[in-house]
C-alpha cells in the first residue's frame, strides 16, 4: 500500500504513572505544600498518537488550520481541497510547499501551501473564506445554513455490494490499522475496490481527516471512485456523507451507527450507507439510486 511522501512522526512514547500507585502518595503530599502533588517518578510509558496543527494556504492566502496526525499530509491537503470544492482534479494543483514551524508553547506545527492554476485560483478568490477547524469538527467556520447543507449532484447508480464481503470487513480493518494498533486513539478509513479488495488504509485523529486522505490518494492515483467503498472506524456524520457525494464515492461503510441527517442525505443522493455492528448483521440505511 502506497502512502503520500509528506509525513512526520505519527506517534511517540509518553511516560505516565498509574493512579493506583500515585494514590498511595496523595495524602502526605497534599499536606506537604513544598513537594509536588504527585511523585515525579515515572512508572511506565505508552505510545500515543501524534497531533499537530496544520495551516493550509491557497496561493499564499490563509485558508484553514486543522489538527491532524502528520502522516500522508500531501494526500490530506489535496483531499481536503477536493472535498471543500477548491479543486476538481489533481492538475488544478501546480505545486505543494511544506514548511515546519514552531508555535507557543514549544509546539511543532506545519504549514502547507497549495499553488493552484490561474483559473482555479480565480474561482477560489470568489469564494474565499478563512475558517478554523478543530479535531473531529467538519463544519467549523461555516457561516450560513446554505453553506452547511450545499446542493450536490445525485450519484450515479452503483452495483450492489455482496453481503458476504461485508462480514470480513471489520477484522480486515483492524489488521490494516498500523497506527491504531500501536496507539488506539485514532480513526481509520479503508479504500476498497469494486471487487472488494483493500487498496489503502489512512489513519488520523480526525475521522474527516482520514476520509480526506483517502480522497486525496484517489485523486493522486487518478482513481474514479464510482463503485468504490470506504470503510470507516467512526460513526457516519453529515459531513462525511457530503464529502463522499462531492467526490463521487459510491459507498460509505461504518463500524458505528449514522446520524439521522446522514441517513437522509445518503438516501437523497443515492449513496449506499451501511453500518457494521459488532455482534449483529450489517444494517443498510441507504442504497444507490436506481
Amino acid at each position: 500500500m502506497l502512502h503520500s511522501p509528506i509525513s512526520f512522526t505519527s506517534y511517540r512514547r509518553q511516560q505516565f504513572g498509574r493512579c493506583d500507585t500515585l494514590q498511595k502518595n496523595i495524602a502526605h503530599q497534599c499536606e506537604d505544600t513544598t513537594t509536588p502533588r504527585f511523585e515525579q517518578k515515572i512508572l511506565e510509558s505508552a505510545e500515543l498518537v501524534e497531533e499537530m496543527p496544520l495551516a493550509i494556504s491557497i496561493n499564499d492566502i490563509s485558508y484553514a488550520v486543522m489538527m491532524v496526525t502528520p502522516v500522508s499530509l500531501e494526500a490530506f491537503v489535496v483531499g481536503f481541497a477536493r472535498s471543500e470544492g477548491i479543486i476538481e482534479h489533481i492538475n488544478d494543483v501546480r505545486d505543494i510547499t511544506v514548511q515546519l514551524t514552531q508555535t507557543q508553547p514549544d509546539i511543532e506545527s506545519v504549514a502547507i501551501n497549495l499553488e493552484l492554476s490561474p483559473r482555479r485560483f480565480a474561482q477560489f478568490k470568489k469564494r474565499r473564506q478563512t475558517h478554523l477547524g478543530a479535531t473531529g469538527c467538519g463544519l467549523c467556520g461555516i457561516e450560513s445554513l446554505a453553506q452547511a447543507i450545499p446542493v450536490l449532484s445525485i450519484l450515479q447508480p452503483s452495483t450492489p455490494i455482496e453481503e458476504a464481503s461485508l462480514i470480513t470487513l471489520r477484522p480486515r480493518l483492524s489488521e490494516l490499522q498500523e497506527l491504531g494498533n500501536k496507539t488506539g486513539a485514532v480513526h481509520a478509513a479503508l479504500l476498497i475496490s469494486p471487487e472488494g479488495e483493500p487498496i489503502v488504509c489512512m489513519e488520523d485523529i480526525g475521522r474527516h481527516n482520514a476520509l480526506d486522505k483517502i480522497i486525496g490518494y484517489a485523486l493522486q492515483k487518478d482513481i474514479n471512485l464510482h463503485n468504490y467503498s470506504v470503510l470507516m472506524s467512526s460513526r457516519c456524520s453529515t459531513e462525511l456523507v457530503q464529502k463522499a457525494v462531492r467526490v463521487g464515492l459510491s459507498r460509505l461503510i461504518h463500524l458505528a451507527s449514522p446520524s439521522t441527517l446522514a441517513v437522509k442525505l445518503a438516501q437523497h443522493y443515492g449513496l449506499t450507507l451501511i453500518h457494521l455492528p459488532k455482534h449483529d448483521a450489517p444494517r443498510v440505511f441507504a442504497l444507490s439510486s436506481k
Side-chain angles (χ1 to χ4, degrees):
M1 293 185 179
L2 300 176
H3 288 67
S4 170
I6 303 178
S7 297
F8 303 98
T9 302
S10 59
Y11 66 93
R12 66 182 69 198
R13 188 159 288 277
Q14 181 73 44
Q15 296 176 321
F16 68 93
R18 289 194 181 276
C19 290
D20 54 356
T21 302
L22 296 172
Q23 285 173 350
K24 298 176 182 177
N25 304 295
I26 292 177
H28 75 267
Q29 287 179 352
C30 287
E31 295 172 0
D32 182 1
T33 58
T34 64
T35 60
R37 181 176 176 84
F38 297 109
E39 285 185 340
Q40 296 302 308
K41 181 181 177 182
I42 302 301
L43 304 176
E44 300 178 53
S45 63
E47 292 172 340
L48 301 185
V49 64
E50 192 73 22
E51 182 177 15
M52 178 182 286
L54 167 62
I56 301 172
S57 57
I58 308 296
N59 289 49
D60 297 315
I61 296 176
S62 296
Y63 182 75
V65 177
M66 309 294 291
M67 303 304 295
V68 301
T69 300
V71 291
S72 304
L73 291 183
E74 182 177 336
F76 167 67
V77 174
V78 169
F80 177 77
R82 176 67 181 92
S83 65
E84 288 277 294
I86 297 172
I87 64 173
E88 288 288 336
H89 308 284
I90 192 64
N91 292 338
D92 292 331
V93 180
R94 296 296 173 86
D95 194 19
I96 300 177
T97 56
V98 183
Q99 181 180 3
L100 287 173
T101 61
Q102 202 85 7
T103 58
Q104 295 295 329
D106 191 28
I107 296 174
E108 292 182 343
S109 59
V110 61
I112 296 182
N113 180 64
L114 285 183
E115 192 73 27
L116 302 186
S117 66
R119 180 179 64 85
R120 270 291 160 186
F121 182 53
Q123 294 173 343
F124 166 76
K125 286 192 294 185
K126 291 181 180 179
R127 62 183 293 274
R128 177 188 173 190
Q129 178 188 17
T130 302
H131 61 105
L132 176 66
T135 301
C137 183
L139 292 178
C140 293
I142 297 298
E143 295 176 345
S144 71
L145 290 175
Q147 288 177 305
I149 311 294
V151 177
L152 304 172
S153 299
I154 302 295
L155 291 173
Q156 299 179 50
S158 60
T159 58
I161 190 169
E162 294 185 8
E163 184 177 343
S165 67
L166 294 172
I167 307 300
T168 63
L169 289 181
R170 181 181 280 270
R172 196 68 190 274
L173 180 61
S174 179
E175 293 171 5
L176 296 172
Q177 277 192 264
E178 296 179 9
L179 183 56
N181 290 330
K182 287 186 175 72
T183 67
V186 66
H187 290 292
L190 176 64
L191 180 62
I192 302 170
S193 73
E195 295 73 34
E197 293 299 319
I199 298 174
V200 67
C201 182
M202 294 291 189
E203 296 176 275
D204 199 279
I205 53 169
R207 63 183 185 272
H208 305 94
N209 300 347
L211 182 56
D212 278 333
K213 288 178 179 180
I214 290 290
I215 293 169
Y217 175 91
L219 212 60
Q220 291 172 318
K221 301 298 180 182
D222 195 27
I223 297 174
N224 183 327
L225 290 173
H226 180 241
N227 278 327
Y228 282 73
S229 306
V230 170
L231 171 64
M232 301 196 65
S233 58
S234 69
R235 67 177 175 85
C236 182
S237 61
T238 300
E239 307 94 302
L240 296 179
V241 170
Q242 290 172 331
K243 287 177 184 289
V245 172
R246 189 184 291 274
V247 302
L249 177 67
S250 293
R251 308 180 195 92
L252 275 180
I253 307 168
H254 288 258
L255 301 190
S257 57
S259 69
T260 56
L261 184 54
V263 171
K264 184 173 185 177
L265 290 178
Q267 292 173 343
H268 174 76
Y269 288 113
L271 173 74
T272 296
L273 181 59
I274 301 173
H275 169 218
L276 299 182
K278 197 168 186 178
H279 303 294
D280 204 354
R283 303 195 296 174
V284 180
F285 284 95
L287 284 173
S288 170
S289 300
K290 301 298 182 181

